[in-house]
Amino acid sequence: DVPGMVRRLVAVLSDGEVAALSRKWSASPLRVATVCSGTDAPILGLDMLRDALYARSGRHKIGIEHVFSCEKVKFKRDFVAATTRPALLFQDVTEVAQGEGMCHDGVRRLVPEHFNVLIAGTECVDFSSLSTAPKGLRGGGRSAITFWATLELAKARTPAVVLLENVATCPARDMEQAFAEAGYVAAHTKVCTSDYLLPQSRSRCYFLFLLAGKARFLPSSSEETWIHTMKRLGPRRPSFPEEIPLRWTDFLLEESDTPTAPTGKKKGRRGKPLSESLGSKWLAEVQAIEEKEGLQKYGEPGGRPYSDATAHVAALASLPDRAKMRLDVQCKRALQAGIDPLTVPLLWNPAQQLRFTDAGFGTDGRPRPLAPCVTPKHEWVVSARRAPLRGAEALALQGIRVPWEALAKFDEKQLRDLAGNAMSTTVAAAALLATFLTAELVEERRSSSEKRAASTDDEQGQGVKRSRIVGVLL
């Protein structure tokens, strides 16, 4: 119940706070643009937040117009088109920054000129601690390119509010400085998804930028107030008596609940013959862990317990031997701790080196309640299922639930990729709520010429205005 999670964020607020922000931010519809959109999770979060605020106040419902979205990867644009349905869906943020770009339908269109809020999840691969070739903000990689394009878009269209998300290891001070030089007041804070009701250990950096002359902090607020409010809604949020923390296993689906999706292309290989793997560097990794932790040796009887138990499981058949070796080590770790991973679900990542991961339980011998960070290339294995975590489950761990008919258009790899690139909806909703609480738009009323220009923007977007997403969230 992701909408229920957002309602719990709103429950932190007093009646006076809800009434004041609802009245202030519903004065005119919010015109929102999203770039590097992925799943457009912030729009899903904003829609749930708007409903939660209205349910609490009973009046002053915030209007939302999703004027355009932008996503480079085609199947992700397909996902956005099937779910949030923005008025315009562009292909490339570097084109959008220049004022005109190719849309998803193959037609070039002008970028709308008037919108209040820009939300961006610029690429993070070059800033990630997992990157094998990290690059800085001026390193020329995709992370830098999409960041600078987003900044150029902000300079050209001057939205009052910009919300930006990236990995916790991004060059935050440099990113703040770049927006400050463009006339924005900047604030940022590091957050973890698990503090916002979703059971996933996902550390991210969120930025708020307010354009001088168009938006400002309230007289009683400042950059520090926004950061404090993010903490108030997250790690410092009071718990309610009926609140039961969710575990990642609560997001697992029954087989009958899984949509029928395209299978996609499978490599069909089983890795190198085991005789070759036994002499490879992967075995050296395994042997080092076995020696250090006192585990049964891989080449001895009982040394491959998970491989033996899953020898005829089709879902794991195409894994390379190095992945199977790692699963065996994780299984032996669990058995040594007194946990049977074939009956107790643990979450394992066979693509990651053993020294960087654990077997899914803590030093107290209990299974971890939080899932590790969902990444685009992940293929987590649920030990008791003897199969990977499904794409729909990975999306759910990000707070994204969509109709089965939409999910069925994408294969498992695509769904996992979508989940790994997404913002967590509850965190995005919290960042927006913190903004509503601490800031205000200066230009609440536009001139008649601006209104005519905005009307023209809508006509270019085929006249589509969205005030609500219908049937997207379950």
Side-chain angles (χ1 to χ4, degrees):
D1 181 16
V2 184
M5 296 178 191
V6 177
R7 288 194 295 271
R8 280 152 69 180
L9 296 179
V10 173
V12 173
L13 279 54
S14 68
D15 290 341
E17 287 176 313
V18 172
L21 78 85
S22 296
R23 183 173 58 253
K24 180 174 54 186
W25 287 90
S26 63
S28 59
L30 279 182
R31 292 173 60 83
V32 184
T34 51
V35 298
C36 302
S37 304
T39 60
D40 254 342
I43 293 294
L44 302 177
L46 177 58
D47 197 67
M48 289 185 285
L49 177 60
R50 183 266 305 275
D51 288 350
L53 289 168
Y54 182 68
R56 177 80 180 273
S57 70
R59 55 182 180 173
H60 302 304
K61 193 169 189 176
I62 298 173
I64 304 169
E65 296 176 11
H66 191 187
V67 295
F68 73 84
S69 184
C70 179
E71 169 54 49
K72 189 173 184 64
V73 180
K74 183 184 181 302
F75 79 83
K76 295 179 182 179
R77 291 198 304 274
D78 290 337
F79 185 90
V80 170
T83 53
T84 60
R85 301 185 291 277
L88 292 169
L89 180 51
F90 292 99
Q91 297 185 16
D92 190 340
V93 68
T94 60
E95 286 189 345
V96 169
Q98 302 305 313
E100 180 181 338
M102 184 69 69
C103 287
H104 189 46
D105 59 4
V107 178
R108 295 192 68 83
R109 292 188 174 89
L110 295 176
V111 177
E113 293 188 8
H114 299 285
F115 49 93
N116 314 93
V117 181
L118 173 63
I119 306 176
T122 55
E123 292 195 31
C124 61
V125 62
D126 300 316
F127 301 152
S128 173
S129 59
L130 298 177
S131 175
T132 56
K135 299 181 179 71
L137 197 58
R138 302 183 186 279
R142 282 297 303 172
S143 297
I145 291 171
T146 54
F147 170 80
W148 291 114
T150 300
L151 178 59
E152 287 304 311
L153 173 62
K155 288 179 179 179
R157 293 297 187 259
T158 63
V161 178
V162 179
L163 278 172
L164 183 67
E165 181 254 19
N166 211 288
V167 290
T169 52
C170 69
R173 295 298 180 189
D174 293 340
M175 294 162 80
E176 274 194 348
Q177 182 61 33
F179 267 87
E181 291 173 358
Y184 283 86
V185 176
H188 80 274
T189 186
K190 293 181 181 180
V191 300
C192 184
T193 293
S194 62
D195 289 325
Y196 298 84
L197 299 163
L198 290 168
Q200 182 194 169
S201 180
R202 185 183 189 86
S203 296
R204 289 294 183 268
C205 190
Y206 272 73
F207 299 81
L208 170 65
F209 303 112
L210 301 179
L211 182 59
K214 284 196 170 185
R216 64 191 174 200
F217 285 108
L218 299 174
S220 59
S221 299
S222 66
E223 297 92 328
E224 289 300 320
T225 312
W226 182 79
I227 294 169
H228 172 79
T229 305
M230 285 295 291
K231 290 179 171 32
R232 177 187 171 198
L233 297 171
R236 298 176 186 169
R237 185 187 67 258
S239 60
F240 299 97
E242 68 278 9
E243 187 173 313
I244 301 175
L246 293 172
R247 306 173 66 87
W248 70 268
T249 49
D250 294 322
F251 289 71
L252 297 181
L253 302 171
E254 298 294 334
E255 195 67 37
S256 59
D257 293 332
T258 307
T260 301
T263 57
K265 294 181 180 180
K266 294 185 178 295
K267 295 181 180 179
R269 61 181 177 84
R270 300 181 64 93
K272 293 181 179 180
L274 189 59
S275 58
E276 292 184 37
S277 294
L278 289 176
S280 72
K281 63 180 181 180
W282 309 116
L283 183 60
E285 175 197 9
V286 169
Q287 289 173 331
I289 295 294
E290 290 171 344
E291 183 70 25
K292 180 180 179 180
E293 300 181 17
L295 303 175
Q296 185 78 17
K297 294 188 182 302
Y298 189 78
E300 296 177 354
R304 300 194 285 268
Y306 202 71
S307 292
D308 293 341
T310 60
H312 302 291
V313 176
L316 303 179
S318 63
L319 288 177
D321 281 327
R322 64 176 179 272
K324 295 177 183 178
M325 290 176 178
R326 290 167 178 164
L327 292 176
D328 282 317
V329 170
Q330 303 293 36
C331 184
K332 289 183 286 189
R333 283 172 164 173
L335 292 170
Q336 189 179 66
I339 301 172
D340 180 3
L342 295 174
T343 58
V344 177
L346 303 174
L347 206 52
W348 297 335
N349 182 4
Q352 196 168 32
Q353 293 185 43
L354 291 166
R355 66 177 182 273
F356 296 134
T357 186
D358 61 36
F361 57 88
T363 55
D364 58 0
R366 296 180 180 179
R368 296 192 187 280
L370 303 182
C373 181
V374 175
T375 60
K377 304 301 181 184
H378 77 281
E379 191 166 341
W380 297 96
V381 170
V382 181
S383 65
R385 176 187 285 169
R386 309 181 195 201
L389 186 75
R390 299 185 184 113
E393 294 163 340
L395 283 167
L397 286 167
Q398 290 281 54
I400 301 168
R401 291 184 182 274
V402 297
W404 292 137
E405 56 268 24
L407 289 179
K409 298 176 182 178
F410 306 93
D411 62 41
E412 286 295 307
K413 183 178 179 181
Q414 289 174 332
L415 292 175
R416 288 194 294 266
D417 198 327
L418 282 161
N421 279 133
M423 293 188 198
S424 303
T425 55
T426 55
V427 185
L432 288 160
L433 181 54
T435 302
F436 294 162
L437 281 166
T438 61
E440 63 182 353
L441 299 178
V442 175
E443 296 182 342
E444 291 190 356
R445 294 184 179 179
R446 293 176 294 175
S447 67
S448 58
S449 61
E450 286 179 310
K451 290 179 180 179
R452 285 195 299 270
S455 177
T456 301
D457 289 343
D458 291 329
E459 291 173 6
Q460 290 171 348
Q462 299 175 337
V464 180
K465 284 190 178 183
R466 66 174 303 283
S467 60
R468 177 170 176 79
I469 299 169
V470 180
V472 174
L473 291 158
L474 302 180

